[in-house]
């Protein structure tokens, strides 16, 4: 199965990275809707779209407004938005307030429950994460393959067993090690802590996202040190495509 990184940065876009959004184009499943979400309409290969939100911070939801035109044109037959109750309420009340966005998109709204069925016999589960305002992490399992998406939390956390053994772990890494104190203060993660989590959880591959937008350089998080701990680590870039 293919996954496309639509946006790999945190907080605000820069010349290199848009904010967080991932897409499984063949089955029409997206995670978060940051500024990179505008790329969905070109990348998707399904007539339906399910969007799973980790939380309601603006860098993860603002792109929901970008999908209005594909809906009105009929390029998408259905868009469903999933999140916990607080996230859905925040999006409906604030992002889509008439004063901010006067045309209400025809979304179907769904509160996350114990698990969601996915095409081809897959299942999506979620777990709460520690972050100011709250966040959730997602795991997808099919026979023979698995994926987890963890962002906006401080590693290590209470989710090690949740991601244990996945083929691909996509995890935020906003700060390099020398700014670990800021990771703790802001509810984000630093480099070596993410690498140690991946090693402890025995995941197969690690992709780092949600990096600091003040660092548009080739290596904002210190990949050599990360790979010393977990060799199968990669820094994701916008529009990168991977198979799992």
């Amino acid at each position: 199965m293919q996954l496309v990184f639509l946006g790999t940065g945190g907080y605000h876009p820069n010349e290199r990275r848009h904010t967080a959004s991932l897409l499984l184009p063949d089955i029409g499943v997206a995670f978060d809707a940051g500024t990179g979400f505008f790329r969905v309409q070109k990348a998707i290969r399904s007539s339906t779209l399910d969007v799973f939100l980790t939380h309601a911070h603006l860098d993860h939801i603002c792109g929901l407004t970008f999908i209005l035109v594909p809906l009105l044109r009929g390029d998408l037959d259905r868009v469903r938005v999933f999140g916990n109750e607080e996230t859905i309420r925040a999006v409906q009340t604030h992002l889509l307030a008439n004063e901010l966005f006067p045309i209400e998109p025809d979304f179907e709204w769904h509160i996350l429950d114990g698990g969601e069925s996915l095409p081809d016999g897959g299942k999506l589960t979620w777990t709460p994460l520690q972050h100011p305002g709250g966040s959730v992490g997602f795991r997808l399992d099919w026979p023979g393959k698995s994926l987890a998406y963890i962002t906006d939390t401080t590693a290590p956390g209470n989710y090690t067993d949740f991601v244990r053994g996945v083929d691909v772990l996509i995890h935020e890494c906003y700060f390099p090690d020398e700014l670990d104190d800021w990771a703790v203060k802001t509810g984000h993660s630093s480099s070596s802590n993410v690498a140690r989590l991946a090693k402890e959880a025995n995941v197969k591959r690690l992709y780092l996202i949600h990096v600091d937008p003040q660092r548009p350089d080739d290596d904002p998080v210190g990949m050599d040190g990360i790979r010393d701990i977990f060799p199968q680590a990669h820094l994701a870039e916008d529009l990168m495509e991977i198979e799992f």
Side-chain angles (χ1 to χ4, degrees):
M1 184 170 295
Q2 186 183 67
L3 181 142
V4 182
F5 292 91
L6 303 178
T8 58
Y11 184 25
H12 63 76
N14 61 26
E15 301 299 333
R16 183 167 187 163
R17 300 177 187 276
H18 277 274
T19 65
S21 187
L22 311 174
L23 178 68
L24 303 174
D26 293 315
I27 63 172
V29 169
F31 295 95
D32 281 337
T35 59
F37 199 65
F38 77 94
R39 292 167 167 152
V40 163
Q41 54 189 303
K42 287 188 177 180
I44 195 169
R45 294 190 284 270
S46 169
S47 63
T48 63
L49 177 63
D50 290 341
V51 186
F52 293 88
L53 300 176
T54 57
H55 63 306
H57 286 175
L58 281 172
D59 57 329
H60 294 257
I61 66 167
C62 65
L64 286 173
T65 60
F66 305 161
I67 209 70
L68 175 65
V69 173
L71 266 174
L72 294 177
R73 281 198 311 239
D75 298 338
L76 290 170
D77 297 331
R78 183 195 72 200
V79 175
R80 299 190 299 180
V81 181
F82 295 79
N84 63 26
E85 186 174 356
E86 294 79 9
T87 295
I88 296 297
R89 183 171 61 247
V91 171
Q92 292 175 324
T93 303
H94 301 293
L95 180 69
L96 300 181
N98 187 66
E99 296 82 358
L100 296 182
F101 198 74
I103 302 175
E104 184 175 351
D106 187 19
F107 295 157
E108 297 179 20
W109 302 96
H110 294 264
I111 305 299
L112 291 169
D113 56 23
E116 304 290 342
S117 296
L118 298 170
D120 303 323
K123 184 176 181 180
L124 179 145
T125 52
W126 63 278
T127 190
L129 301 174
Q130 294 296 316
H131 185 65
S135 185
V136 301
F138 294 109
R139 176 170 176 149
L140 294 77
D141 287 279
W142 287 270
K145 55 179 174 270
S146 55
L147 166 77
Y149 173 49
I150 304 292
T151 189
D152 285 52
T153 196
T154 303
N158 60 351
Y159 53 90
T160 304
D161 287 338
F162 180 75
V163 304
R164 191 173 301 282
V166 294
D167 294 312
V168 171
L169 171 61
I170 300 165
H171 199 293
E172 78 134 84
C173 191
Y174 198 95
F175 292 107
D177 284 344
E178 59 266 26
L179 295 176
D180 181 61
D181 58 332
W182 278 99
V184 174
K185 290 176 184 177
T186 61
H188 289 290
S189 293
S190 57
S191 303
S192 292
N193 284 328
V194 177
R196 283 190 285 267
L197 167 73
K199 182 177 181 179
E200 167 64 23
N202 195 32
V203 308
K204 293 182 181 177
R205 285 183 284 162
L206 170 66
Y207 290 86
L208 303 174
I209 64 161
H210 204 278
V211 299
D212 185 352
Q214 303 301 315
R215 294 283 306 273
D217 47 287
D218 290 340
D219 188 7
V221 293
M223 290 303 299
D224 286 344
I226 291 170
R227 292 191 181 109
D228 285 343
I229 300 169
F230 189 80
Q232 293 301 314
H234 312 270
L235 179 63
E237 297 278 356
D238 283 20
L239 298 178
M240 179 187 286
E241 301 176 2
I242 65 170
E243 299 286 338
F244 72 98

